[in-house]
């Protein structure tokens, strides 16, 4: 009995040694998110060290922006094609509002996996078009270089690291953290707009009360 208990103890100890640490991936992911969140600060500093009066540097920046936006657009287009090819008919409960559901949501509010993944890729493509267009317009009209540089680096990170539709359908990722529905990424611009809208509504209510 004593020998058997010793053998079981050794097996358990060996199993513990061979068992991978499940938290390592989460720690690494959190570290990468933190580094990305502070990336804009050194980016601003580096942009000030560049001579933007040089036409060569400006042309390089434009080429970088066009290459970055093109790669993001191609990735999203391939993701949309992949969702259509899979045609996954499983249902996603409580997917959240979207004007890109194709096919549309059922009476209970659920949508197919195909429609859900398509909507996330289509929303990201529209946001890419708007942000890229605004950055390039500001650059060509007013000569600003920082927005173009930020878009060139931040948009690929948002597409390839944050967009779950791209990660699942294009990069082949899977696992518990990729279960649908996915958490909505924070949009500072949208949060600011919602805040201003609430302030205007509150001011209107206060004015009506005074009258």
């Amino acid at each position: 009995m004593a020998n058997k208990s010793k053998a079981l103890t050794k097996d358990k100890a060996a199993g513990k040694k061979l068992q991978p640490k499940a938290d390592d991936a989460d720690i690494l992911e959190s570290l990468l998110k933190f580094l990305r969140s502070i990336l804009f600060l050194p980016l601003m500093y580096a942009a000030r060290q560049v001579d933007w009066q040089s036409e060569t540097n400006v042309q390089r920046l434009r080429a970088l922006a066009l290459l970055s936006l093109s790669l993001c657009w191609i990735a999203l287009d391939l993701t949309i094609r992949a969702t259509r090819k899979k045609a996954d008919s499983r249902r996603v409960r409580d997917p959240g509002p979207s004007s890109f559901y194709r096919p549309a949501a059922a009476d209970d509010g659920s949508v197919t996996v195909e429609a859900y993944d398509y909507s996330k890729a289509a929303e990201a493509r529209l946001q890419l078009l708007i942000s890229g267009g605004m950055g390039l317009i500001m650059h060509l009209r007013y000569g600003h270089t920082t927005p173009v540089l930020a878009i060139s680096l931040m948009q690929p990170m948002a597409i390839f690291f944050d967009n779950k539709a791209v990660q699942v359908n294009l990069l082949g990722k899977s696992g518990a953290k990729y279960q649908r529905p996915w958490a909505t990424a924070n949009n500072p611009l949208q949060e600011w707009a919602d805040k201003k809208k609430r302030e205007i509504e509150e001011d209107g209510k206060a004015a009506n009360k005074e009258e």
Side-chain angles (χ1 to χ4, degrees):
M1 293 293 292
N3 292 332
K4 287 184 178 180
S5 61
K6 288 181 179 179
L8 290 173
T9 303
K10 290 181 179 179
D11 292 340
K12 290 180 179 179
K16 288 182 179 179
K17 291 180 180 179
L18 295 175
Q19 185 178 4
K21 294 182 179 180
D23 295 336
D24 287 352
D26 295 334
I27 294 174
L28 179 60
E29 184 177 357
S30 300
L31 179 60
L32 289 175
K33 285 183 177 180
F34 171 74
L35 293 176
R36 285 168 49 202
S37 65
I38 64 174
L39 179 63
F40 196 72
L41 296 177
L43 176 65
M44 292 286 290
Y45 175 78
R48 293 179 179 177
Q49 310 308 311
V50 178
D51 179 17
W52 296 117
Q53 301 299 321
S54 171
E55 187 65 23
T56 301
N57 292 334
V58 173
Q59 293 298 333
R60 288 174 179 172
L61 176 63
R62 293 173 180 173
L64 175 64
L66 291 175
L67 176 62
S68 175
L69 294 175
S70 298
L71 289 175
C72 292
W73 185 273
I74 292 172
L76 292 171
D77 186 69
L78 291 176
T79 299
I80 289 175
R81 292 173 183 266
T83 61
R84 291 312 193 197
K85 185 177 181 180
K86 291 178 181 178
D88 195 334
S89 59
R90 291 177 297 168
R91 310 299 298 184
V92 179
R93 302 287 180 180
D94 300 322
S98 177
S99 59
F100 290 97
Y101 289 143
R102 305 288 189 277
D107 294 337
D108 61 355
S110 66
V111 298
T112 63
V113 169
E114 176 191 358
Y116 184 77
D117 290 9
Y118 168 82
S119 69
K120 295 305 177 184
E123 289 170 0
R125 189 168 62 176
L126 178 60
Q127 185 176 357
L128 175 70
L129 182 63
I130 294 174
S131 60
M134 290 180 61
L136 291 175
I137 289 173
M138 290 178 64
H139 169 65
L140 296 174
R141 178 66 179 84
Y142 301 105
H144 298 317
T145 56
T146 303
V148 180
L149 186 59
I151 290 171
S152 301
L153 298 179
M154 305 303 286
Q155 280 296 330
M157 292 182 182
I159 298 299
F160 291 101
F161 291 97
D162 293 336
N163 193 291
K164 293 292 195 300
V166 173
Q167 292 181 325
V168 171
N169 294 281
L170 188 62
L171 303 180
K173 297 293 184 65
S174 61
K177 68 177 182 178
Y178 297 100
Q179 294 293 325
R180 303 167 182 85
W182 301 312
T184 305
N186 293 331
N187 188 336
L189 183 60
Q190 185 63 41
E191 292 176 357
W192 176 84
D194 293 339
K195 180 181 178 181
K196 289 299 181 182
K197 183 179 179 181
R198 288 193 300 268
E199 291 177 355
I200 293 173
E201 291 176 351
E202 291 174 358
D203 292 342
K205 291 179 181 179
N208 292 333
K209 287 181 180 180
E210 291 178 356
E211 293 177 355

